[in-house]
Amino acid sequence: DIQMTQSPSTLSASVGDRVTITCRASQNINNWLAWYQQKPGKAPNLLIYKASNLESGVPSRFSGSGSGTEFTLTITSLQPDDFATYYCQHYNSYSVTFGGGTKVDIK
Amino acid sequence: EVQLVQSGAEVKKPGESLKISCKASGYSFSNYWIGWVRQMPGKGLEWMEIIYPDDSHTRSSPSFQGQVTISADKSISTAYLQWSSLKASDTAMYYCARLSGIFGVFDYWGQGTLVIVSS
């Protein structure tokens, strides 16, 4: 089974900061990688698909990059609405795997 | 507009059975995988199962295989997740979500169903 490992697990940042979250796959997953944002008490919300494609309606300060086994989610200028938990996710024809999550909180 | 509306919160005792539902609208239910994701209190997202309603093909996480049963009724565009004997460790929020196989993502999510199992 493919494992997805996110780092860091918690990140403290300030409004306006550039934030980078990493997701590593245990084997090559090409670009089958998505990113979600989840706020407390809410369902996750899709941000990025196929590693670098911005979902419709998602602010352009969010971007994704990477391929193979290493991927990043970058928020260029953190806004108050961005304090949340972020998850990466991989899909193949047989299974879905989530990363462990990265909580972005206020420094 | 795509919508997934889940059944309400449940409080059950250990050993009881339970079936929760997820009613879809706004798209062709039969032609998209739909799945369930568990989130235990204060923890991360865990994929459980997916089903293709048109032919009822399923895929299961090894962690959940045999512990729950996924099903779908395409005549009423509804997916289900069922337990035959609940345990306290099944206490969690359960989300249904539509899987876009083309992009490999859960693009629409239900609001979640909280299941509490306590004696």
Side-chain angles (χ1 to χ4, degrees):
Chain A
D1 290 358
I2 295 173
Q3 309 301 318
M4 307 300 296
T5 304
Q6 280 184 244
S7 61
S9 55
T10 305
L11 187 161
S12 295
S14 301
V15 173
D17 283 354
R18 180 185 179 92
V19 166
T20 299
I21 299 167
T22 298
C23 180
R24 289 187 174 86
S26 58
Q27 59 186 272
N28 182 8
I29 61 169
N30 296 306
N31 64 346
W32 289 97
L33 193 284
W35 291 97
Y36 300 83
Q37 177 193 67
Q38 187 182 32
K39 296 181 180 177
K42 299 292 187 183
N45 182 50
L46 177 65
L47 299 176
I48 302 283
Y49 63 94
K50 296 294 288 287
S52 61
N53 294 274
L54 196 67
E55 175 72 349
S56 176
V58 174
S60 59
R61 63 181 178 272
F62 291 92
S63 64
S65 64
S67 67
T69 61
E70 187 153 334
F71 303 86
T72 59
L73 173 70
T74 299
I75 310 171
T76 52
S77 178
L78 198 66
Q79 298 301 300
D81 192 46
D82 302 337
F83 291 99
T85 301
Y86 295 85
Y87 294 92
C88 62
Q89 173 250 311
H90 166 62
Y91 165 77
N92 61 31
S93 300
Y94 302 97
S95 69
V96 177
T97 309
F98 287 98
T102 296
K103 184 178 181 181
V104 177
D105 63 20
I106 300 173
K107 185 185 285 184
Chain B
E1 179 194 8
V2 174
Q3 285 194 311
L4 300 175
V5 179
Q6 297 184 226
S7 50
E10 302 274 1
V11 180
K12 292 288 194 179
K13 294 186 183 332
E16 291 186 331
S17 63
L18 176 64
K19 191 174 189 177
I20 61 175
S21 66
C22 171
K23 182 164 177 61
S25 61
Y27 73 98
S28 177
F29 179 72
S30 294
N31 300 124
Y32 283 82
W33 291 86
I34 188 164
W36 291 92
V37 174
R38 184 177 80 173
Q39 188 165 40
M40 298 177 77
K43 301 298 184 183
L45 303 173
E46 301 173 274
W47 169 64
M48 302 175 72
E49 312 243 341
I50 52 174
I51 187 167
Y52 194 72
D54 193 47
D55 57 12
S56 293
H57 261 80
T58 63
R59 299 281 186 268
S60 301
S61 164
S63 301
F64 293 95
Q65 200 151 20
Q67 308 304 306
V68 292
T69 303
I70 191 171
S71 61
D73 184 342
K74 59 185 180 181
S75 70
I76 56 171
S77 300
T78 300
Y80 301 95
L81 187 67
Q82 185 172 359
W83 294 259
S84 59
S85 180
L86 287 160
K87 302 185 282 284
S89 57
D90 292 318
T91 294
M93 181 71 82
Y94 293 87
Y95 293 102
C96 67
R98 188 183 83 164
L99 181 69
S100 166
I102 295 174
F103 299 116
V105 299
F106 289 115
D107 55 359
Y108 290 93
W109 294 69
Q111 81 278 18
T113 295
L114 179 62
V115 174
I116 297 172
V117 184
S118 174
S119 55

